[in-house]
Amino acid sequence: MFPTILAQSGARSKLKHPLPGIDLALSTTAQTSDRRVSYCELSRRASNELDLAGVTDEDGYRRAIDMSVIPGKKAPKKSVGLWNLNSDPAEQVDLTESLPVRAAYHEQMIARWLAQQTYLRDQTAITMPSVEMTEELKEQLRALGYLK
């Protein structure tokens, strides 16, 4: 998302290394054949009961899997499955059983992506310097409107 937001705002990154990701903004020159793999994760929060992860591949197939670990809490059946978005954009026909190889491959893609996200979060936690919340910093944040 960051490259998209950066591009849409007109800002330029002052980083000395390239940012991961791409600008996802739609343009009039975008071709439907420019499909990419996209991943998503919906984690359990107080405001929702779902804990899902998903992938949409280059062919237009979307796979969503239930990541719930709390006993008795499972995503509704209509929230998980495999769908062909080209022929079923409303995700009405679950193809998990009729396309088991694609479904399993998507599960592997999701597992790999989740492992990468965990690794990147751990690396960021190691390399990000901690900032002490001093009174001076609090005053600066108040002056900017971030704190009351």
Side-chain angles (χ1 to χ4, degrees):
M1 293 303 294
F2 187 71
T4 304
I5 295 167
L6 196 64
Q8 292 300 303
S9 70
R12 294 176 51 103
S13 174
K14 294 180 181 178
L15 298 173
K16 295 179 180 172
H17 59 277
L19 292 170
I22 57 171
D23 178 5
L24 298 172
L26 297 175
S27 72
T28 56
T29 60
Q31 301 293 319
T32 55
S33 62
D34 290 342
R35 292 189 179 190
R36 298 175 183 92
V37 173
S38 61
Y39 296 89
C40 64
E41 180 180 12
L42 176 65
S43 296
R44 185 178 307 280
R45 302 274 188 257
S47 61
N48 74 16
E49 300 213 356
L50 297 177
D51 194 5
L52 303 170
V55 62
T56 303
D57 69 17
E58 304 96 333
D59 296 329
Y61 285 87
R62 175 174 294 153
R63 176 80 165 121
I65 59 173
D66 187 358
M67 302 291 291
S68 301
V69 293
I70 298 173
K73 291 283 190 179
K74 292 292 179 190
K77 185 165 176 43
K78 66 180 181 180
S79 299
V80 297
L82 172 70
W83 305 276
N84 181 342
L85 300 180
N86 297 312
S87 61
D88 181 21
E91 299 177 2
Q92 299 299 308
V93 180
D94 182 0
L95 302 172
T96 305
E97 289 183 22
S98 61
L99 297 174
V101 174
R102 186 178 288 270
Y105 178 63
H106 279 187
E107 288 177 24
Q108 291 176 348
M109 292 172 70
I110 292 168
R112 180 175 176 261
W113 178 73
L114 290 171
Q116 288 173 332
Q117 297 307 305
T118 301
Y119 173 78
L120 291 172
R121 280 182 225 144
D122 291 348
Q123 291 303 307
T124 302
I126 292 169
T127 59
M128 291 295 291
S130 62
V131 177
E132 183 181 341
M133 187 62 83
T134 63
E135 283 305 315
E136 179 184 359
L137 181 56
K138 287 179 185 178
E139 279 303 313
Q140 291 172 348
L141 291 172
R142 280 189 197 95
L144 293 169
Y146 290 107
L147 295 178
K148 292 184 179 187

